[in-house]
Amino acid sequence: MDIKIQKAARKAPIADAVYLFNAINDLKDAKLSKDELGFVRKELKLKRKVVRINRYKQNLVLVQVRHDGAKDTQHEALRKQGNEALAVFNKARSARVVVYSSETKEITLAFVEGMLLGDYQFLKYIKEADEKENSVEEISVWSKNVSGSDIETLSIITEAVYNARDFVNEPLSSLNAVKFAEEVKKLGAACHAKVEVFNKKKIESLRMGGLLAVNRGSIDPPTFTIIEWKPLNPVNKKPYIFVGKGVMYDTGGLSLKPSNFMDTMKCDMSGGAAVAGALYAVAKAELPVHVIGMIPATDNRPDGNAYVPGDIVTMLDGSTVEVLNTDAEGRMILADALAYAKNYDPELVIDIATLTGAAVRAIGTNAMVGMKVKSEKQFEELQKAANKVHERIVEFPMWDEYKETLKSPIADLKNIGGAEAGAITAGKFLEHFTDYPYIHLDIAGPAFLSKRDSYRTEGGTGVGVRLFFEFIRSKAGI
Ligand code: BES
Ligand code: ZN
Ligand code: ZN
């Protein structure tokens, strides 16, 4: 992470600064001249919420905080304003910014979060990166309502999102399944979580047929990574398990994608990246909750030995699957992970995956699709966390009628349904491999953006990291 946040030790009268205010009276500290005050009043009349004042030696950004409406909506507006303010300072080539706030902790943190998330860049492969690099390096927060540990937690969350975005943005040529597993191991070491990586031999001995079938067209071996955070006195007896799809690149396999659909398919491990990021944050923040992450990983390619449409695959749990489209590979590798999760007698399993184009067509990039099995109350809590961090979930039904199209005349099920309701039939396929309270999340829409959307930067968004962290934090009651 190239940006640092800290609690401001003292007021810095001529530093570049943001003032969060409600009434004009709250701006006393900014020592505005008469002219400046007049300007601010005019801007506010024009309903502008982010007002910029350019002094010779100082850039000031004044942000009016509204106190009407729902909290979640207000916080999201603040994140966006944080991102807007940050852009002003980067444009002015400021290095350090002080945020002055007499507002609540939640309001102040939402604003700073927008600044931090919006400052992300992926410049690793740009030769003249210096010129393009954002100038803001340090944000100091001046607020009596925000503690050092609040800042520390926000910093951890940001770092985790940055890590997840980096994983997604890294192309296959430098991040295959083995390398990804190694990187997750490093992350685990940095947050004292236990990381175990199953290699191909181990995966074969366990008979993870789905993962091995998808891997057959690859020149690289598959991996199955398990990250475990088990604190001394967890609030839960049975673990929460997150399962992330780790398709390092999805060509479609022999059911090859047209190239315009293939271009961005390095993003097909976004679920795995979210799980790695979330576990990093939970462990680093030492939340008192027992959490396990699982990432089955391989790329999906056509090759001499690739699995073919018509193949019948025996999965880890013994079920047989008739493969009718090798591009429906995510569910093949996730099914084995979901079956493996049974060994832990989990409280709840949530999988997160860039699973279907149907999810994107249905709801676009603004939300993820969610489906639940035997987890009424957990799903409600996850929705609450989702609204809080603005990684929203649209619920789709798990009605059994949708299972009809997965029937196969020669195997236990097919790996594709009919032409309709593709996001739902994919969820129904996965449900087959579960016997515990379960939630399925399809992030094919929000995982990767072709164009920046406020603090959600272009490319990998790291969606899921903040959602899972908030969900686990709510379990810990903090
Ligand atoms: N990785 C894709 C889904 C995807 C699409 C992710 C767009 C991100 C953006 C997945 O493996 C896939 O190809 N799904 C197929 C399933 C179909 C063959 C039943 C799809 O959605 O077309
Ligand atoms: Zn696919
Ligand atoms: Zn895929």
Side-chain angles (χ1 to χ4, degrees), residues 245 250 257 265 268 325 327 329 331 354-357 416:
K245 172 176 173 182
D250 185 9
K257 286 182 184 293
M265 279 302 141
D268 215 18
N325 191 320
D327 198 10
E329 84 298 337
R331 63 196 77 181
T354 45
L355 205 61
T356 64
I416 53 167

Side-chain angles (χ1 to χ4, degrees), residues 100-140:
Y100 292 100
S101 171
S102 48
E103 298 287 333
T104 63
K105 165 170 124 177
E106 286 74 23
I107 285 174
T108 312
L109 290 177
F111 182 84
V112 178
E113 180 172 56
M115 292 181 87
L116 293 168
L117 293 176
D119 205 45
Y120 174 84
Q121 293 177 292
F122 188 73
L123 298 174
K124 194 172 156 192
Y125 296 99
I126 301 223
K127 189 160 162 248
E128 318 248 296
D130 284 359
E131 290 163 30
K132 298 207 166 154
E133 209 172 316
N134 290 338
S135 61
V136 176
E137 289 166 357
E138 193 183 289
I139 298 171
S140 305

Side-chain angles (χ1 to χ4, degrees), residues 294-309:
M294 287 180 191
I295 309 172
T298 175
D299 48 330
N300 181 27
R301 292 214 228 198
D303 187 36
N305 196 38
Y307 78 141
V308 304

Side-chain angles (χ1 to χ4, degrees), residues 12-81:
I14 57 160
D16 287 341
V18 179
Y19 287 85
L20 297 184
F21 73 102
N22 179 233
I24 294 250
N25 266 346
D26 305 337
L27 284 174
K28 270 189 204 118
D29 278 355
K31 302 210 163 49
L32 299 178
S33 70
K34 244 196 183 146
D35 279 354
E36 288 171 341
L37 262 175
F39 173 68
V40 174
R41 286 212 171 87
K42 240 195 248 154
E43 291 281 292
L44 294 181
K45 250 196 206 133
L46 292 171
K47 301 244 177 307
R48 296 218 172 97
K49 303 218 175 57
V50 178
V51 180
R52 188 181 163 183
I53 289 183
N54 247 338
R55 289 176 176 160
Y56 176 52
K57 285 197 171 172
Q58 190 182 32
N59 296 288
L60 283 187
V61 174
L62 314 176
V63 178
Q64 189 176 35
V65 180
R66 299 283 303 267
H67 288 272
D68 46 2
K71 264 199 174 154
D72 292 341
T73 319
Q74 180 198 41
H75 293 167
E76 178 60 5
L78 279 153
R79 282 183 207 104
K80 288 185 172 160
Q81 286 163 351

